[in-house]
């Protein structure tokens, strides 16, 4: 079984470059289905979720060309297929973006119910509500979601809860619908804005992304163009947390500091020195850390996708810290792995109580999901002795060259392929 082996402890020092945003590109690639022409997409991260989506696009008849460096050229003009089968969809959550994109382009979509990280119940009722509001009929049969519409017509959509996926899917379905769609109570994450900017650069008319209300004026056609994906907020936050947890000093480069404020503010509260530059952030965590409390919330609140990584920072802080998970029902599975390494963590429902100041000891552990896997890497860097992380496919889904990046910061870390 492939694994990551870390010999700790280590103090991270140096500079690291952040890749393009996973949660933006996993929506932008399906969104390319709506475009008649070549989409040249720059700053694409080399992660397995991107490979999976490219395989889906190719299987459906798209041309996908990896141009120089991190640029992909995607041309979906010749696609006629409207179905994403189970063997592709089960591998990752974002396969549900093909529903909005195919419905928007063909008035027809059949996509297997999606897989992805196990974080508790992950319903898609709000995606379905949005499609139905635009005039689609939606049925779930034999594990597939079927959407059909003679014609999509713009309408008002009020989401019952703030959902990243439903917000993006509603935009995708509305881009070519007749007339104006007004989507209220939407998510405001940086990747929502990025998907809207991508679509606008291809000829869509979307306003308000990044606020509570998004207005989509339907257009007849989207033509090709060039677009560069934003830096990954969560990858950047992961390296900031890793610097903090190891008492290190790291310059995190190619970031948008504004997107990092929710994370920077919490680290500063804990005693980490943060210095912002135009497109980089210096994290200096050489001083002792103080305890803190976190409640995860939709952007601009503290991101749930940084919750496991921040738990490792709390393990270094003096005193008792608390995390209240406000987005997912079940996102503390990874704490069992940290406890195997000597951490003192008690979980009660959606609250984890973390005792700081215990020295972790290396142990064999699992990456339960993508961000839990990142937390295991950080814990391995903090721990005395050898940590072996299994089930690392989760990590590969969303972190580009994570082993090389940590090694360049001084970590004794290696990837073992079996
Ligand atoms: C996205 O998931 C991200 N995934 C997740 O990141 C992230 O944790 C999450 O947003 C929250 O920020 C991608 O972008 C591919 P939601 P998504 O719809 O869109 C409930 C990572 O580690 N809900 O915003 O699936 C839902 O149960 C991954 O990169 C409904 O009830 O999340 C949850 O409690 C993990 N009905 C809350 O809303 C719906 O129809 C937010 O979910 C939709 C959602």
């Amino acid at each position: 079984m492939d694994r990551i082996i870390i010999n700790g402890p280590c103090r991270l020092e140096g500079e690291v470059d952040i890749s393009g945003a996973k949660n933006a590109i996993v929506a932008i690639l399906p969104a390319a289905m709506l475009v008649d022409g070549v989409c040249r997409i720059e700053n694409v991260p080399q992660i397995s979720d991107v490979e999976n989506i490219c395989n889906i696009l190719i299987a459906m008849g798209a041309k996908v060309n990896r141009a120089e460096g991190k640029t992909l050229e995607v041309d979906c003009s010749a696609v006629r297929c409207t179905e994403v089968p189970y063997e592709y969809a089960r591998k990752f959550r974002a396969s549900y973006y093909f529903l909005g994109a195919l419905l928007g382009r063909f008035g027809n979509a059949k996509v297997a119910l999606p897989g992805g990280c196990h974080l508790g119940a992950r319903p898609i009722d709000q995606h379905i509500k949005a499609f139905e509001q635009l005039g689609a009929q939606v049925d779930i049969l034999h594990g597939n979601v079927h959407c059909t519409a003679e014609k999509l017509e713009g309408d008002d959509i009020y989401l019952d809860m703030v959902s990243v996926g439903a917000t993006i899917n509603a935009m995708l379905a509305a881009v070519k619908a007749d007339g104006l769609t007004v989507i209220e109570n939407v998510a405001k994450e940086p990747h929502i804005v990025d998907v809207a900017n991508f679509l606008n650069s291809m000829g869509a008319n979307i306003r308000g992304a990044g606020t509570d209300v998004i207005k989509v004026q339907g257009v007849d056609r989207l033509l090709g163009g060039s677009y560069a994906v934003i830096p990954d907020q969560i990858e950047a936050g992961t390296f900031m947390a890793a610097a903090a947890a190891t008492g290190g000093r790291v310059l995190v480069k190619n970031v948008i500091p504004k997107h990092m404020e929710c994370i920077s503010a919490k680290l500063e509260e804990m005693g980490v020195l943060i210095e912002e530059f135009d497109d980089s952030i210096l994290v200096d965590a050489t001083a002792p850390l103080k305890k803190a409390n976190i409640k995860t919330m939709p952007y601009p609140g503290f991101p749930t996708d940084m919750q496991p990584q921040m738990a490792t920072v709390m393990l270094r802080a003096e005193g008792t810290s608390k995390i209240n998970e406000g987005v997912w029902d079940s996102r503390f599975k990874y704490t069992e792995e940290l406890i195997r390494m000597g951490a003192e963590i008690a979980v009660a429902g959606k609250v984890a109580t973390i005792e700081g100041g215990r020295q972790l000891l290396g142990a064999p552990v699992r990456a339960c999901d993508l961000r839990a896997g990142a937390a295991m890497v950080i814990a391995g860097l903090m721990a005395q002795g050898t940590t072996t992380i299994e089930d690392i496919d989760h990590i590969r889904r969303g972190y580009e060259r994570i082993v090389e990046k940590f090694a360049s910061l001084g970590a004794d870390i290696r990837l073992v392929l079996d």
Side-chain angles (χ1 to χ4, degrees), residues 66-348:
R66 198 167 268 284
E68 79 283 357
K70 296 183 168 199
T71 300
L72 274 184
E73 286 168 352
V74 180
D75 183 354
C76 296
S77 320
V79 173
R80 296 292 171 267
C81 170
T82 59
E83 189 175 334
V84 179
Y86 175 71
E87 62 266 28
Y88 290 118
R90 73 185 170 87
K91 291 188 181 156
F92 63 110
R93 191 79 196 153
S95 50
Y96 55 33
Y97 290 133
F98 281 97
L99 282 170
L102 293 171
L103 179 65
R105 172 156 171 200
F106 298 107
N108 198 359
K110 180 178 166 192
V111 180
L113 281 164
C117 292
H118 298 291
L119 311 172
R122 298 189 74 172
I124 57 164
D125 55 301
Q126 298 304 302
H127 304 232
I128 293 172
K129 170 174 159 168
F131 299 149
E132 287 177 341
Q133 199 74 27
L134 297 175
Q137 164 147 356
V138 183
D139 299 293
I140 297 183
L141 299 167
H142 308 291
N144 293 306
V145 187
H146 298 247
C147 303
T148 46
E150 292 264 303
K151 189 164 128 195
L152 291 169
E153 290 201 52
D155 202 346
D156 290 353
I157 301 169
Y158 196 102
L159 298 177
D160 296 343
M161 80 275 300
V162 176
S163 158
V164 169
T167 300
I168 292 178
N169 249 337
M171 281 197 299
L172 296 177
V175 157
K176 294 168 101 175
D178 271 1
L180 179 69
T181 299
V182 180
I183 319 166
E184 295 195 58
N185 195 28
V186 294
K188 295 180 279 206
E189 271 68 4
H191 36 283
I192 304 278
V193 180
D194 209 37
V195 177
N197 286 344
F198 164 77
L199 289 164
N200 284 342
S201 73
M202 302 291 146
N205 183 352
I206 303 173
R207 284 166 294 134
T211 73
D212 292 314
V213 183
I214 293 179
K215 294 184 178 169
V216 185
Q217 181 67 51
V219 295
D220 289 337
R221 287 189 78 191
L222 301 187
L223 299 166
S226 284
Y227 191 76
V229 178
I230 52 165
D232 195 309
Q233 177 208 29
I234 303 300
E235 190 201 9
T238 299
F239 280 97
M240 291 170 74
T246 62
R249 192 170 189 278
V250 173
L251 183 67
V252 184
K253 296 189 332 186
N254 183 33
V255 298
I256 299 175
K258 175 89 191 144
H259 294 169
M260 306 310 302
E261 277 173 0
C262 39
I263 299 162
S264 299
K266 190 51 71 177
L267 289 172
E268 280 183 317
E269 187 187 317
M270 295 180 80
V272 179
L273 292 175
I274 302 277
E275 203 176 339
E276 286 182 5
F277 303 97
D278 285 349
D279 61 358
S280 61
I281 296 181
L282 179 66
V283 181
D284 183 334
T286 37
L289 298 186
K290 292 173 273 188
K291 65 182 179 172
N293 294 333
I294 287 177
K295 179 165 169 71
T296 66
M297 287 201 272
Y299 191 82
F302 191 89
T304 173
D305 293 347
M306 275 301 299
Q307 189 255 91
Q309 303 91 310
M310 281 305 285
T312 65
V313 182
M314 291 171 166
L315 287 172
R316 183 180 159 227
E318 280 164 29
T320 307
S321 298
K322 277 190 194 295
I323 298 177
N324 189 329
E325 173 55 47
V327 178
W328 297 112
D329 289 341
S330 171
R331 203 168 195 175
F332 286 128
K333 187 102 188 82
Y334 70 90
T335 58
E336 292 167 22
E337 304 297 306
L338 292 178
I339 289 168
R340 290 165 51 73
M341 299 175 77
E344 206 179 317
I345 304 176
V347 175

